[in-house]
């Protein structure tokens, strides 16, 4: 029996991943770029060689669909594995558009590899994490991370790559939590429906490479206006494909739209702040560290809760 505990941070996409070129391997239709966050984290302990397979989430036995996904992921690490016990905790609401699947599968991959006694190679780990949940392949590093779309059918060239560390740029993500309720349509289902039925999906795929190049250049130059503009463009295009799917997928709540207007008004007053949203109603606002409290105050009354997060570091692992 051996045991390892890993901690990984969620990441928020600045240039979005939406759509798969291969469903089974979670190969993306587009490349993406993210920022790993500090403070929020998933901590996962894997016991390799337990009396039976067992999965706990936030202190309680996990729902069977969640447990199946977790155990199937350990099978990817070693198809001949012994029974394993997994105990995982999120320091933030699960499945509310705050990327718990990203930090979750990153921490599970790392703890699983180390508990199994395998050599840790971040690129290999990123390829494995991607198969659990696409965005998880970006949480294997801190700071700004690019996920390569890749072209190979086996996915060996589709993984994360660190672009700039957490100290590169002192930006903030102000997370405006509209609700912590579980989302009605999960990302995977949403991507399948969008690809199948939105007339805008081909345009989304065709134009996203240019957004990615723009985002990467903006990060290198520490140009917030350039990055924020590309980020909002990527977000609105992604949500346009959701809104035009059949049946449509509308994650936005009235408070989501209120926050979008507030941030646009802040910009009119000279505050550099830009919005992004994922598969949920919450809004994440990118701004300079010096503006974060003013942004949080401006949107605070419109939502349930506001959190200010900065760039986070690499995941960590301890073996017991
Ligand atoms: C909207 O990584 O959760 O947050 O690969 O199906 O598990 P699966 O999806 P997931 O999708 C995240 C989509 C997004 C945008 C992003 O994070 O890039």
């Amino acid at each position: 029996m051996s045991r390892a505990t890993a901690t990984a941070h969620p990441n928020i996409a600045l240039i979005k991943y939406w759509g798969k070129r291969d469903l089974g391997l979670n190969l993306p239709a587009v490349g993406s770029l993210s920022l790993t966050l500090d403070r929020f984290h998933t901590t996962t302990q894997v016991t390799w060689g337990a009396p039976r397979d067992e999965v706990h989430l936030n202190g309680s036995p996990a729902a069977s669909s969640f447990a199946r996904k977790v155990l199937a992921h350990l099978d990817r690490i070693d198809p001949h594995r012994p029974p394993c016990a997994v105990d995982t905790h999120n320091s933030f609401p699960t499945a509310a558009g705050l990327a718990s699947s990203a930090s979750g599968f990153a921490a599970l991959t790392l703890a699983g590899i180390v508990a199994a006694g395998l050599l840790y190679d971040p690129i290999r780990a990123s390829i494995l994490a991607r198969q659990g949940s696409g965005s998880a392949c970006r949480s294997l590093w801190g700071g700004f991370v690019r996920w390569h779309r890749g072209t190979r059918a086996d996915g060996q060239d589709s993984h994360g790559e660190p672009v700039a560390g957490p100290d590169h740029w002192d930006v903030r993500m102000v997370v405006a939590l509209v609700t912590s309720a579980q989302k009605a349509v999960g990302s995977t289902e949403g991507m399948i429906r969008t690809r199948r039925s939105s007339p805008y999906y081909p345009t989304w795929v065709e134009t996203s490479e240019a957004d990615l190049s723009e985002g990467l250049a903006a990060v290198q130059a520490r140009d917030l206006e350039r990055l924020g503009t590309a980020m909002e463009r990527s977000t609105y295009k992604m949500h346009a494909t959701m809104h035009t799917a059949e049946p449509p997928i509308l994650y936005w709540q009235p408070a989501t739209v209120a926050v979008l207007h507030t941030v646009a008004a802040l910009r009119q007053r000279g505050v550099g702040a830009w919005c992004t949203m994922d598969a949920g109603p919450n809004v994440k606002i990118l701004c300079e560290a010096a503006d974060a409290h003013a942004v949080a105050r401006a949107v605070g009354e419109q939502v349930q809760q506001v959190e200010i997060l900065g760039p986070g570091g690499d995941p960590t692992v301890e073996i017991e």
Side-chain angles (χ1 to χ4, degrees), residues 173-251:
M173 274 289 179
V174 178
V175 176
L177 200 78
V178 169
T179 169
S180 56
Q182 299 253 341
K183 57 197 171 201
V185 182
S187 304
T188 308
E189 190 194 331
M191 288 187 208
I192 294 169
R193 193 189 298 175
T194 304
R195 182 183 176 170
R196 200 188 54 224
S197 60
S198 168
Y200 297 162
Y201 181 79
T203 308
W204 155 255
V205 173
E206 273 160 36
T207 59
S208 64
E209 202 56 39
D211 295 333
L212 179 57
S213 302
E214 183 72 3
L216 286 166
V219 167
Q220 290 307 345
R222 297 191 191 87
D223 184 335
L224 195 68
E225 180 166 7
R226 193 173 175 191
L227 180 60
T229 304
M231 181 181 83
E232 283 204 347
R233 190 189 314 131
S234 175
T235 300
Y236 279 113
K237 280 197 285 190
M238 177 182 78
H239 280 270
T241 69
M242 299 169 181
H243 296 169
T244 49
E246 277 185 33
I249 306 162
L250 180 62
Y251 289 113

Side-chain angles (χ1 to χ4, degrees), residues 13 17-18 20 26 101 133-135 138 187-188 191 238 278-279:
Y17 149 53
W18 191 253
K20 303 184 196 225
N26 263 349
S101 70
S133 181
S135 53
R138 299 184 306 230
S187 304
T188 308
M191 288 187 208
M238 177 182 78
D278 294 298

Side-chain angles (χ1 to χ4, degrees), residues 7 12 17 98 109 185 204 275 293:
T7 295
I12 298 297
Y17 149 53
L98 289 178
T109 304
V185 182
W204 155 255
C275 293
H293 282 100

Side-chain angles (χ1 to χ4, degrees), residues 243-268:
H243 296 169
T244 49
E246 277 185 33
I249 306 162
L250 180 62
Y251 289 113
W252 302 0
Q253 296 293 328
T256 310
V257 179
V259 170
L260 296 175
H261 283 293
T262 299
V263 172
L266 280 174
R267 259 200 325 265
Q268 293 275 312

Side-chain angles (χ1 to χ4, degrees), residues 273-299:
W274 287 266
C275 293
T276 186
M277 290 154 286
D278 294 298
N282 301 319
V283 186
K284 295 102 186 183
I285 306 150
L286 179 70
C287 62
E288 297 283 1
D291 292 328
H293 282 100
V295 171
R297 261 197 313 276
V299 301

